[in-house]
């Protein structure tokens, strides 16, 4: 604001105060940061996590048993809702109703990997989708660390006017600032009774099942195209594709091991072949009528084969 020359010091102060009034931050960490020459700020049992810790490594408001990323995000977002009031919720039904768009910042406290940050980001977006919350801007990265703290913080800012977005989108040479993602209003295909639906933000696609067919809406800037497949045909194509890939991975086991021996520990072919055999054993249980669910199930199988393929 100061750089534009359009605002007085008082206007900048008023804007900063309003941002503080409409925002909230909460963090969680699996272990505290280590200050050079002093060691860890406090002791933390291996199976516990610190909730609400300070950015300087101060102990939080409570400790809880380590939980999944989804449960961590849900816990933080529910707490922030009570502080920022970015949704209208009824205490009796615990149903959330959208109030106004938000800016969501997911901050790495210093020691979290990109893979873990991606999981947290996915869970945070999923939570907002489930509660019909519009994310006007999404920021995810390392903005303010607690040295090497292995944790994250979530910040929610209510979009109380359009100027907030203009300021966030303004160009800057600051090396630690990541360009915000523009997600927009969540959209969903309207599910009917007995039908399944998946949600995705505007700008992407929406896939849902209806009757004995699968309809996919592919959005583009010019038109919306609709393709329809019969479930039986979709299932047959999916089964043949998966089976062909599995047979190829098994056939190339020795060759992949030989290639991996030149740069690794020589077990790449064995890892993929084992995954392929497991997939073929479970072929009859795989959901070939849903590409999304099929890929999810295949990823779970690969997760247990170990090695880089499992990661």
């Amino acid at each position: 604001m100061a750089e534009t020359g359009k605002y007085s010091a008082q206007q900048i102060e008023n804007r900063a105060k309003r941002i503080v009034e409409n925002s909230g931050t909460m963090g969680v960490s699996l272990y505290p940061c280590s200050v050079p020459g002093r060691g860890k700020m406090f002791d933390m049992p291996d199976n516990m996590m610190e909730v609400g810790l300070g950015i300087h490594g101060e102990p939080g408001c409570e400790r809880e048993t380590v939980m999944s990323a989804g449960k961590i995000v849900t816990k933080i977002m529910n707490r922030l809702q009570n502080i920022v009031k970015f949704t209208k919720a009824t205490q009796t039904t615990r149903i959330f109703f959208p109030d106004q768009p938000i800016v969501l910042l997911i901050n790495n406290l210093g020691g979290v990997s990109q893979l873990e940050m991606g999981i947290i980001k996915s869970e945070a977006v999923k939570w907002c989708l489930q509660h019909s919350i519009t994310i006007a801007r999404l920021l995810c990265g390392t903005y303010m660390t607690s040295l090497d703290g292995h944790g994250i913080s979530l910040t929610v800012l209510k979009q109380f006017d359009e100027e907030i977005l203009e300021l966030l989108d303004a160009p800057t040479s600051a090396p630690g600032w990541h360009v915000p993602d523009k997600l927009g209003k969540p959209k969903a295909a309207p599910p009917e009774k007995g039908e399944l639906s998946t949600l995705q933000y505007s700008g992407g696609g929406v896939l849902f099942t209806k009757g004995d067919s699968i309809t996919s809406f592919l959005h583009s800037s010019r038109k919306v195209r609709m393709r329809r497949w019969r479930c039986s045909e979709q299932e047959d194509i999916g089964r043949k594709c998966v089976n062909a890939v599995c047979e190829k991975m098994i056939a190339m086991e020795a060759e992949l091991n030989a290639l991996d021996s030149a740069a690794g520990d020589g077990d790449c072919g064995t890892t993929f072949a084992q995954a392929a055999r497991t997939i073929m054993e479970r072929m009859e249980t795989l959901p070939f009528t849903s590409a999304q669910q099929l890929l999810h199930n295949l990823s779970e199988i690969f997760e247990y084969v170990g090695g880089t393929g499992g990661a």
Side-chain angles (χ1 to χ4, degrees):
M1 293 179 68
E3 187 177 356
T4 64
K6 300 178 181 179
Y7 305 91
S8 66
Q10 186 61 55
Q11 288 176 313
I12 295 175
E13 179 184 353
N14 293 340
R15 167 67 58 166
K17 288 181 178 179
R18 194 173 181 192
I19 290 174
V20 171
E21 293 170 355
N22 286 274
S23 64
T25 299
M26 189 170 190
V28 61
S29 185
L30 299 183
Y31 55 81
C33 65
S34 300
V35 178
R38 293 176 53 188
K40 293 184 178 180
M41 294 289 290
F42 52 85
D43 294 326
M44 173 73 70
D46 292 338
N47 65 332
M48 302 295 288
M49 63 182 189
E50 195 81 13
V51 180
L53 75 164
I55 192 65
H56 298 116
E58 302 92 340
C61 56
E62 61 182 351
R63 288 185 179 181
E64 291 199 17
T65 304
V66 173
M67 58 185 70
S68 67
K71 291 182 179 179
I72 290 175
V73 168
T74 297
K75 183 178 185 66
I76 295 178
M77 293 300 285
N78 285 339
R79 290 282 187 91
L80 291 177
Q81 144 62 24
N82 293 331
I83 298 171
V84 186
K85 308 296 183 185
F86 56 91
T87 63
K88 297 176 181 177
T90 61
Q91 295 297 325
T92 55
T93 60
R94 300 181 65 82
I95 297 176
F96 290 80
F97 297 96
D99 187 4
Q100 60 189 133
I102 65 170
V103 175
L104 177 61
L105 186 149
I106 305 169
N107 178 53
N108 186 343
L109 292 181
V112 181
S113 68
Q114 290 296 318
L115 179 63
E116 292 169 308
M117 288 297 292
I119 294 173
I120 293 293
K121 179 179 179 180
S122 175
E123 292 295 340
V125 172
K126 185 190 301 182
W127 188 94
C128 291
L129 277 169
Q130 291 171 345
H131 297 89
S132 300
I133 305 300
T134 299
I135 304 178
R137 295 293 184 273
L138 174 63
L139 301 97
C140 182
T142 305
Y143 292 89
M144 178 174 286
T145 72
S146 184
L147 296 177
D148 61 343
H150 194 88
I152 55 97
S153 64
L154 299 182
T155 299
V156 170
L157 168 64
K158 287 196 293 187
Q159 184 198 332
F160 50 82
D161 62 24
E162 288 298 323
E163 190 177 20
I164 281 292
L165 302 184
E166 295 176 5
L167 295 172
L168 287 172
D169 294 337
T172 177
S173 59
W177 183 256
H178 305 272
V179 179
D181 293 328
K182 302 177 182 179
L183 297 188
K185 187 177 181 180
K187 292 184 178 181
E192 298 178 7
K193 186 176 181 180
E195 295 179 352
L196 301 175
S197 69
T198 59
L199 303 175
Q200 189 165 333
Y201 271 99
S202 55
V206 177
L207 177 69
F208 66 100
T209 61
K210 185 173 183 180
D212 62 349
S213 62
I214 293 179
T215 304
S216 175
F217 291 91
L218 305 176
H219 297 270
S220 66
S221 58
R222 295 183 178 180
K223 60 182 179 179
V224 177
R225 295 174 293 162
M226 184 177 73
R227 299 175 181 175
R228 185 178 296 270
W229 297 275
R230 302 292 295 181
C231 276
S232 57
E233 181 181 353
Q234 176 85 358
E235 185 174 0
D236 184 56
I237 294 174
R239 189 183 301 275
K240 288 180 179 178
C241 289
V242 172
N243 189 70
V245 172
C246 288
E247 289 180 346
K248 189 66 174 179
M249 286 196 295
I250 293 173
M252 294 187 66
E253 179 177 358
E255 183 177 350
L256 290 175
N257 280 339
L259 291 172
D260 188 35
S261 297
D265 51 6
D267 66 346
C268 179
T270 301
T271 299
F272 279 95
Q274 178 59 43
R277 294 186 182 97
T278 303
I279 291 171
M280 295 181 77
E281 290 173 0
R282 303 182 186 181
M283 193 73 75
E284 296 304 318
T285 64
L286 295 176
F288 288 100
T289 55
S290 169
Q292 181 185 30
Q293 190 60 46
L294 174 62
L295 292 175
H296 175 74
N297 285 25
L298 292 177
S299 68
E300 287 187 329
I301 293 175
F302 265 89
E303 186 176 351
Y304 293 100
V305 301
T308 306

